[in-house]
Amino acid sequence: MRAVYQALYRHAFLEPHQCDITLRPSCNVSRCINAGSGHRLTLQRGMDNIREVTADIVILATGYQDALPDFLEPIADRLEHADNELAIGEDFSVCWDRPRDRRVFVQNASLGQRGLADPNLGLLAWRARRILDSLLRRAPCANPEHLGFISSALIERWPDLQVEEMGSGI
C-alpha cells in the first residue's frame, strides 16, 4: 500500500503530465477487453451509471471479507458473533458455547470490536503475549524481570548513572 501511495504521489506532484492515474472506487468491472496495448473496461456503479474507459494498466483492488475457516464449520452454530465478526474476548479467544478446556484464539479478526489497532502488525507480539498468558492461565502483565528500555528502576539501581539531556528531550 505504501508503494502504491508513493507512486500516486510522485505521479501527481513530482512528475505531473507523465501519465494519468485515476482511482475509481466502488466500481464493478463488468467487462474487460484487450484493446491493442491497453484494455477497454466497462465500469458500473449502481444500476444506471455505466461507462467505458480505456486504460494501459488496470489494478483491481477488490478488498477482502473475513470468512470463517472451513475447519471451524462443525462448530459454527456455537460461535458468538458481534455484528459481522466473531465475538472476541479480552484474551483474543472466540466467545462460544464450549467445554472449559477448549478455546479458539484469533488475531486480526475484530476490527469492529477493537478498532484500528486490531490489524496493526506492530501489536502482533503484544497480542501473542496476551494469548500465551491466557493459555498459561496467568494474569496479563509486563515481565517484572525485564525493565524495558527506559525505566526509573534502572536509575535507582545505579545512582551514579548520568542522564544527559539531548535536545528538547531525554
Side-chain angles (χ1 to χ4, degrees):
M1 289 302 294
R2 180 177 293 181
V4 170
Y5 175 80
Q6 288 173 341
L8 290 172
Y9 182 88
R10 185 177 61 250
H11 288 296
F13 299 106
L14 303 177
E15 302 167 355
H17 310 297
Q18 284 204 338
C19 65
D20 182 28
I21 296 175
T22 304
L23 298 178
R24 299 182 187 273
S26 303
C27 282
N28 290 320
V29 178
S30 60
R31 194 167 108 191
C32 179
I33 299 172
N34 290 335
S37 63
H39 310 280
R40 189 172 41 229
L41 302 160
T42 302
L43 305 177
Q44 185 171 354
R45 230 186 238 142
M47 295 301 290
D48 300 328
N49 190 352
I50 299 172
R51 66 190 313 191
E52 286 199 5
V53 297
T54 302
D56 297 324
I57 299 171
V58 177
I59 299 173
L60 300 174
T62 60
Y64 71 95
Q65 185 174 13
D66 290 333
L68 191 66
D70 291 339
F71 68 87
L72 289 177
E73 198 58 43
I75 62 169
D77 60 329
R78 299 173 66 187
L79 302 174
E80 292 182 30
H81 288 80
D83 295 323
N84 295 329
E85 302 174 336
L86 292 172
I88 307 299
E90 289 296 316
D91 64 350
F92 297 95
S93 64
V94 176
C95 301
W96 67 296
D97 171 24
R98 64 178 172 87
R100 295 184 61 83
D101 63 339
R102 304 288 189 263
R103 290 181 283 174
V104 175
F105 294 91
V106 296
Q107 291 198 40
N108 195 16
S110 58
L111 180 64
Q113 297 164 71
R114 305 240 186 236
L116 291 176
D118 190 64
N120 183 337
L121 294 179
L123 296 173
L124 187 61
W126 174 81
R127 288 191 296 264
R129 174 65 187 258
R130 293 294 301 260
I131 291 171
L132 181 61
D133 286 341
S134 180
L135 287 169
L136 296 175
R137 301 198 190 304
R138 64 183 181 204
C141 65
N143 184 348
E145 295 173 12
H146 185 272
L147 299 175
F149 182 67
I150 300 173
S151 172
S152 61
L154 180 66
I155 296 170
E156 291 169 10
R157 280 190 187 174
W158 295 291
D160 297 335
L161 181 67
Q162 297 293 319
V163 179
E164 297 178 14
E165 269 191 52
M166 301 177 76
S168 61
I170 294 178

